[in-house]
Amino acid sequence: MTIEFDSISSTEKPAGQPRRRIAAGVGATMLIAAAGGVGFGIGHSVDGSDRALSPGTASEADVEPVEELDIEVPVTEAYVPASTIAVAGDAPAGQPVTSDDQYVAESSGGPGFSVFGDQALELLYERTSADGLIVRVHLGQTWDDGGYYSDESGNEWQPPAWCYESGQVRIALGGANVIDVGSAPWYTEPYQGRSVSWLTLGRPDGDPHRVLFGQVPDGTTLVTATFGDGSVDSAAPENGVVALVVSGEPETIEHNEDGYIWLEESPDFEITFQSVDGATAVASNAVGTWNDPDFVASCSPPPPTLPEAGEQPADPAADEATITELMSNIYGESDESFETLDWIDDPTGVAEAREEVAAGSFEEPAASAEAIVEALVFTAPNEAWFRYRIETSVTTLRDRFGIARLIDGMWKITRDTICQDLSMASGNCEPGYEVVFPDQG
């Protein structure tokens, strides 16, 4: 049962006391009875008779209908939060009523946000692809400081601008079945004037597209991308940038790490840059900037210096060759290297750490690891410090430092040298170890 409310014009409402016309009858009787609580008896019925009614005993046959009463009903004005809506229909118990057929319902929610916030974006590039897709590139906020390197002695080094992104571009793709937005890095000074970034848009729409974003040097007239499946897109740059797009998605591996899912893309493409003077430059995902030795060298901080040389062994050249071969064998792919713990001065916990690596997610990169000694100095006839790098199937670890010692006529690599590298592949030597690093003081 409900109380029926007739709408009233605002001129009929005294301030603070809205008027409501209430239809008395069975509904009012039951409501009043319920308000009194179980066991509360009403002494008189609303029609003035002497019959007493108790909750649960009244029926429509027991109560005679009466005419509507025009009475004043005080209504308390309640605070209505901003996040409320008017909903049609009867109000649930406790909800404030606003009219005959609406009541105020509170709703959860809050403000949304843009991926790029409310910052001003500059439109750099816009084109319509051969497939009718519109691609737009906006430049957001940029910064000049690409970061700096500081070694353990506090020596600082400022890398070139191309080593780190100095902003982000917003890339939007729309048309047909695709509406998607992504981003790519922006460089204030791309390496050799060029940068190439890739992303996939349209996956949520079930229509993935491979997108390449490039920054190009002045004088570039045409940029062409050819993908491994034969897809091709070409476009002329504007404002020093270009965006190319073809349908389909790159080879993708889905990783699920304890419920966290991420996609590893392996795009296959070659991109050519044609210049006004007829010159052509070629780049690809396979042999690109990150694998260019000159680029890597330019973005690598100068390595710390090795300790000063001390008294030399009887045959430094032969001993250096021995130490270099030891490192190569210990980090080699052969199974034998995992059994020759006698090449380590103290093998405590090393075998167990190697087992952890072999059972973990870094098994394949660790198995492919190769150690290359780049510089070596004998600090004493029975001790040598050396700098080396580790090359794996997925990355190169540079500027590693190690120590070798002559023990009972045999050169051995120190436990700390080996354990510090195993730890990077989730192999934990027990007890612990100390990182090998030359004192720069």
Side-chain angles (χ1 to χ4, degrees):
M1 299 295 182
T2 59
I3 299 179
E4 298 178 358
F5 292 88
D6 293 335
S7 59
I8 304 174
S9 65
S10 59
T11 56
E12 296 176 311
K13 301 177 183 178
Q17 297 290 327
R19 291 172 57 87
R20 297 290 186 267
R21 298 181 62 199
I22 300 179
V26 176
T29 303
M30 295 302 292
L31 185 63
I32 296 172
V38 177
F40 179 81
I42 299 178
H44 298 277
S45 65
V46 292
D47 62 355
S49 67
D50 293 332
R51 288 177 301 177
L53 300 179
S54 298
T57 62
S59 66
E60 294 187 6
D62 297 327
V63 181
E64 296 179 4
V66 297
E67 296 182 357
E68 292 184 345
L69 304 178
D70 191 3
I71 61 175
E72 299 279 351
V73 179
V75 177
T76 303
E77 293 185 359
Y79 167 73
V80 180
S83 58
T84 60
I85 56 175
V87 181
D90 292 338
Q95 287 285 4
V97 177
T98 59
S99 68
D100 285 351
D101 53 3
Q102 288 186 332
Y103 64 93
V104 176
E106 295 185 2
S107 65
S108 60
F113 65 93
S114 169
V115 174
F116 279 78
D118 55 3
Q119 62 180 277
L121 301 178
E122 176 187 357
L123 179 62
L124 295 180
Y125 184 85
E126 181 175 3
R127 66 177 279 246
T128 301
S129 72
D131 295 333
L133 292 172
I134 299 175
V135 57
R136 292 194 184 105
V137 178
H138 286 83
L139 176 62
Q141 183 180 5
T142 61
W143 52 89
D144 295 327
D145 184 8
Y148 67 91
Y149 168 84
S150 178
D151 63 22
E152 294 187 4
S153 298
N155 299 317
E156 295 184 359
W157 170 75
Q158 184 75 40
W162 58 74
C163 296
Y164 298 93
E165 65 183 73
S166 47
Q168 283 277 311
V169 293
R170 171 188 182 268
I171 302 177
L173 187 65
N177 299 320
V178 179
I179 301 177
D180 207 353
V181 176
S183 64
W186 169 266
Y187 298 89
T188 55
E189 186 181 346
Y191 181 66
Q192 295 182 349
R194 300 178 184 87
S195 75
V196 177
S197 304
W198 57 85
L199 69 158
T200 303
L201 295 178
R203 273 199 177 101
D205 303 304
D207 193 6
H209 283 70
R210 291 159 287 177
V211 180
L212 296 182
F213 168 72
Q215 293 179 248
V216 300
D218 293 339
T220 302
T221 57
L222 186 68
V223 182
T224 302
T226 303
F227 291 83
D229 61 359
S231 301
V232 179
D233 190 24
S234 297
E238 297 178 9
N239 298 315
V241 302
V242 68
L244 306 174
V245 55
V246 298
S247 63
E249 61 182 334
E251 180 181 347
T252 304
I253 302 174
E254 181 177 302
H255 296 269
N256 189 334
E257 299 178 355
D258 297 328
Y260 173 72
I261 298 176
W262 61 280
L263 301 180
E264 177 186 356
E265 295 185 347
S266 299
D268 180 13
F269 66 86
E270 182 177 271
I271 187 167
T272 60
F273 306 86
Q274 296 180 1
S275 301
V276 66
D277 57 5
T280 300
V282 181
S284 74
N285 62 312
V287 185
T289 298
W290 300 109
N291 295 320
D292 185 320
D294 293 335
F295 173 85
V296 173
S298 70
C299 292
S300 300
T305 57
L306 289 165
E308 294 184 2
E311 183 182 349
Q312 300 297 288
D315 191 347
D319 289 344
E320 181 174 346
T322 298
I323 295 170
T324 299
E325 185 178 3
L326 279 176
M327 287 294 291
S328 179
N329 289 337
I330 290 175
Y331 287 79
E333 296 184 29
S334 65
D335 293 336
E336 180 185 1
S337 66
F338 285 86
E339 303 298 332
T340 53
L341 297 178
D342 54 338
W343 293 344
I344 304 172
D345 66 347
D346 178 10
T348 304
V350 173
E352 292 79 4
R354 283 172 168 166
E355 291 176 359
E356 290 182 348
V357 172
S361 58
F362 295 102
E363 175 188 10
E364 191 277 328
S368 68
E370 295 182 35
I372 296 95
V373 175
E374 298 178 324
L376 182 145
V377 61
F378 290 98
T379 56
N382 61 347
E383 182 180 85
W385 278 70
F386 54 90
R387 187 183 74 245
Y388 64 101
R389 71 179 188 272
I390 300 176
E391 294 184 352
T392 74
S393 58
V394 296
T395 189
T396 296
L397 305 172
R398 301 179 181 275
D399 296 336
R400 313 291 297 168
F401 291 91
I403 301 174
R405 292 196 174 98
L406 186 64
I407 300 174
D408 296 332
M410 177 184 290
W411 283 102
K412 297 186 177 185
I413 307 300
T414 63
R415 178 179 183 271
D416 288 339
T417 303
I418 305 302
C419 288
Q420 68 180 0
D421 294 336
L422 288 171
S423 70
M424 293 189 297
S426 299
N428 300 307
C429 294
E430 295 294 346
Y433 65 92
E434 292 185 3
V435 174
V436 179
F437 195 85
D439 184 4
Q440 302 296 298

